Amino acid sequence: AVADKEEASTDGPDAYLETYNEEYDALEFLDEGAFEDDDGNLLFQYGDEVEFDVDFQRLQEIKEMEEARAADTTPRGAEVNFQNYKAAMAQYARHETDTGSPEAQIASITERVKYLTRHLIANKKDFASRRGLIKLVNRRRTLLNYLYKRDKATTLELVEKLGIRFKPRGRAFDKPTKYGAYRNTKSNVAKRIAAYETR
């Protein structure tokens, strides 16, 4: 952080580094003009002028953390999610270049749903991700209905392998058949059903 930022000239180094006022951004300039004065303060050389008292200890800690993060080869959550996504796509694809078949899309969406579910458990206030999760679940449901119409056995087998819930959509061709299982709360509905049954 800059100690005497208010006293710095607006047309000198402060204007040059006005977009680099964060501690992390100052790391880019330490190797080019930084030096210590007699009191041990780290100063920054800009042309013929000397400005800025930098918290070198804090910057060094940030630099060490960034180096440790760069040396860490453990895959991040997003990287693992992408690997699982590609693996699911390859496992259920119909051929090597297949990315659009219902089976491949359902499997890849399932991996994305799992990732977002874990994310939302840890981040309950992330409503934007929650909306994306709902959209993915609805899209997967649409694809499952589409595949079930064309190949029931493949759909049920896929659902069992992926471990997801799926209830085939019911087929009702008329209102009396569709609403016959519900309690009649309106007299006109009861009359129509009775009239239909007496035909």
Side-chain angles (χ1 to χ4, degrees):
V2 179
D4 300 326
K5 185 176 180 182
E6 297 180 356
E7 299 178 3
S9 171
T10 57
D11 57 352
D14 186 55
Y16 177 73
L17 296 178
E18 61 182 353
T19 58
Y20 300 97
N21 54 3
E22 297 293 335
E23 292 179 346
Y24 176 77
D25 296 324
L27 286 171
E28 301 178 6
F29 304 96
L30 286 181
D31 298 332
E32 298 184 1
F35 64 95
E36 292 186 3
D37 61 4
D38 297 336
D39 298 329
N41 298 320
L42 187 71
L43 303 178
F44 181 80
Q45 179 75 38
Y46 177 77
D48 297 332
E49 301 179 7
V50 177
E51 298 285 349
F52 308 146
D53 182 7
V54 184
D55 186 356
F56 178 73
Q57 184 177 0
R58 174 59 180 163
L59 295 178
Q60 191 65 28
E61 291 176 359
I62 296 175
K63 191 172 184 179
E64 291 175 357
M65 286 191 297
E66 289 299 320
E67 291 176 353
R69 180 178 296 179
D72 186 10
T73 58
T74 304
R76 302 292 187 267
E79 297 175 0
V80 174
N81 175 50
F82 182 73
Q83 293 173 2
N84 295 338
Y85 172 87
K86 299 296 288 185
M89 185 77 73
Q91 180 179 356
Y92 293 94
R94 296 179 179 178
H95 49 81
E96 294 182 358
T97 59
D98 176 28
T99 58
S101 64
E103 297 91 333
Q105 291 190 66
I106 291 169
S108 61
I109 289 175
T110 300
E111 292 299 329
R112 295 173 64 187
V113 167
K114 291 179 181 179
Y115 174 74
L116 285 177
T117 302
R118 292 192 298 267
H119 171 76
L120 288 172
I121 291 174
N123 304 274
K124 297 182 179 180
K125 297 292 185 177
D126 190 354
F127 298 109
S129 295
R130 186 181 301 275
R131 179 175 179 269
L133 175 62
I134 294 172
K135 290 177 66 177
L136 286 175
V137 172
N138 291 335
R139 183 180 175 189
R140 184 178 65 181
R141 172 70 194 208
T142 302
L143 289 168
L144 285 169
N145 290 336
Y146 171 83
L147 185 61
Y148 185 77
K149 289 180 181 179
R150 284 152 180 78
D151 194 342
K152 296 181 180 180
T154 302
T155 305
L156 297 178
E157 182 182 357
L158 180 64
V159 167
E160 184 178 358
K161 286 183 179 180
L162 295 176
I164 58 180
R165 291 175 295 179
F166 172 67
K167 183 178 180 180
R169 180 188 298 176
R171 299 181 64 85
F173 299 97
D174 48 55
K175 285 188 175 181
T177 305
K178 184 175 181 181
Y179 297 104
Y182 299 95
R183 181 180 178 182
N184 298 324
T185 57
K186 296 182 180 180
S187 59
N188 58 348
V189 175
K191 291 179 180 178
R192 290 178 184 177
I193 293 177
Y196 181 83
E197 292 177 348
T198 55
R199 289 182 182 177

